[in-house]
Amino acid sequence: MMEFSAISPSRAVDEIAAQVREMIATGKIKPGDRLPSERDLSARLGVSRNTLREALRALENAGIVEMRKGATGGAFVLHGSSDVIVGGMRDLYHLGAITPQQFTEARMWLSEVVVRVASERATEEDFAALEANIDASAKAVDFEERARHNRAFHVILARATRNPILIITMEGIVEVFAHFIAQIGPSDNAFVLPSRRRFMKHLRARDAVKAAEEMKRALVRLQTQYMDQWEARSASDQNAK
């Protein structure tokens, strides 16, 4: 039974969202459940339907509920998605709260952890997915396609850890990286493919040390190249002013 309580009008939107979050946390509402109708829920809470809709929009933006239209529609509790966190990291980058230096460093640090865990937990299916990604990158006809496969490699590797926090964090970093590359422009990274093939030999052997070393060498080289491009672009923009 979803037992909602009347709330203070001055903080209505926040309190409605807090009640829904608390019910999810305590198991009174589960992913897939449908919340009561707007009419019923607004009456239980003692708020207007406009106030309720504002609270539901806030929960939807937070990735907690999904609003569906139609006779069978309503507010449904989601099973969970990384979209909100990934989108938040992307927004922080665009706002300047995350610098290129910071997220390229973070990618190197996170990748070392991911490689070490994946070396222990990766399955044959994970190895096959990584090798298929490398093959697709090798066949890419242009920089954009190749870069997309190269970024996906890190997400596939993170999934091999079976740890959702590592996976979501890597997805966020990869998303930010895509926007960063779009800003600085394409570059020749011919060394990446041979490095990936060496990396896979170590990963299949479950040699975490050598796999991490190979990944780090490639990422350090990439970071140096990208930061040089970033600084050159920044200097060009500054001169243009």
Side-chain angles (χ1 to χ4, degrees):
M1 182 65 179
M2 301 181 193
E3 298 179 356
F4 291 90
S5 305
I7 59 178
S8 167
S10 62
R11 294 182 53 83
V13 172
D14 291 342
E15 290 191 29
I16 293 168
Q19 284 197 38
V20 173
R21 291 174 189 271
E22 178 64 21
M23 288 186 178
I24 293 171
T26 57
K28 294 178 181 177
I29 300 177
K30 296 180 174 59
D33 285 350
R34 177 184 176 182
L35 298 182
S37 68
E38 284 188 3
R39 178 181 297 177
D40 185 13
L41 191 50
S42 60
R44 295 192 204 185
L45 294 167
V47 299
S48 69
R49 292 176 72 169
N50 284 338
T51 298
L52 174 63
R53 287 169 187 159
E54 186 179 348
L56 292 175
R57 279 196 297 271
L59 288 168
E60 186 174 35
N61 291 336
I64 295 173
V65 303
E66 177 186 27
M67 303 303 298
R68 301 178 191 170
K69 297 181 179 180
T72 59
F76 290 81
V77 179
L78 291 173
H79 289 270
S81 169
S82 64
D83 291 348
V84 173
I85 294 174
V86 172
M89 291 180 68
R90 182 183 60 242
D91 291 341
L92 287 172
Y93 170 68
H94 287 308
L95 290 168
I98 298 175
T99 68
Q101 179 71 30
Q102 289 168 339
F103 74 74
T104 52
E105 284 182 342
R107 185 170 76 145
M108 287 194 294
W109 299 333
L110 179 64
S111 292
E112 182 173 357
V113 175
V114 166
V115 169
R116 291 182 183 280
V117 178
S119 294
E120 298 176 2
R121 300 182 181 179
T123 64
E124 183 58 40
E125 290 75 15
D126 296 320
F127 294 143
L130 289 164
E131 287 166 348
N133 171 275
I134 294 172
D135 290 340
S137 178
K139 296 174 184 176
V141 297
D142 57 36
F143 172 81
E144 291 297 333
E145 183 183 359
R146 186 166 56 255
R148 187 169 63 253
H149 289 307
N150 287 343
R151 291 192 298 269
F153 181 88
H154 294 281
V155 176
I156 297 170
L157 184 61
R159 288 174 184 157
T161 69
R162 307 294 185 269
N163 185 298
I165 296 177
L166 291 178
I167 297 168
I168 291 169
T169 305
M170 184 60 79
E171 286 176 345
I173 289 176
V174 165
E175 174 71 13
V176 172
F177 213 81
H179 287 267
F180 174 61
I181 295 302
Q183 287 181 303
I184 65 173
S187 58
D188 180 22
N189 302 321
F191 62 88
V192 171
L193 191 59
S195 175
R196 291 277 163 83
R197 297 200 186 282
R198 291 192 297 270
F199 170 82
M200 286 306 302
K201 290 181 181 179
H202 300 316
L203 191 69
R204 275 193 170 277
R206 301 196 185 277
D207 190 331
V209 174
K210 289 184 178 179
E213 288 175 350
E214 183 61 45
M215 178 66 76
K216 183 178 180 179
R217 277 194 297 270
L219 291 180
V220 167
R221 189 171 175 181
L222 283 170
Q223 185 197 33
T224 300
Q225 180 174 314
Y226 289 143
M227 292 312 300
D228 286 345
Q229 286 179 255
W230 174 258
E231 290 170 7
R233 178 185 178 278
S234 299
S236 177
D237 290 344
Q238 199 66 28
N239 290 335
K241 295 179 181 178

